[in-house]
Amino acid sequence: MPSQQGPRRARIAFSDSAAKQLENITSEADIHALDRALVVISVDPDIGEPLPGDTAGPQLRQYADEVERVRLLYWVSALRTGVIWGSQGVSAGQRHVAA
């Protein structure tokens, strides 16, 4: 019987700086918005806009969701793992989290 599953999602990993940012997020709305953005990247790691820079290493990408007011900086590894480098979000309290 054929499998009904779609393509595999990319694995998401966090750099040390991004993991530290996660520790500081306390708003449930901000956590929900970040979670939605991470799902988008896991489904399509190439969705983010490539950022100009050094071509010697992995291509740094930016994914921004204007509705959820989330911005993620990440790169995609050779094994299709999305490595989150940093994020920026703005909640009603104008809290900023930057890399």
Side-chain angles (χ1 to χ4, degrees), residues 1-40:
M1 179 173 213
S3 173
Q4 297 296 327
Q5 297 178 3
R8 245 180 112 179
R9 289 185 178 185
R11 190 172 82 98
I12 299 292
F14 296 92
S15 69
D16 291 341
S17 63
K20 187 168 181 86
Q21 289 177 348
L22 287 175
E23 294 172 4
N24 296 325
I25 298 175
T26 57
S27 163
E28 191 169 320
D30 288 348
I31 292 170
H32 178 72
L34 178 61
D35 187 52
R36 289 175 54 99
L38 293 172
V39 168
V40 169

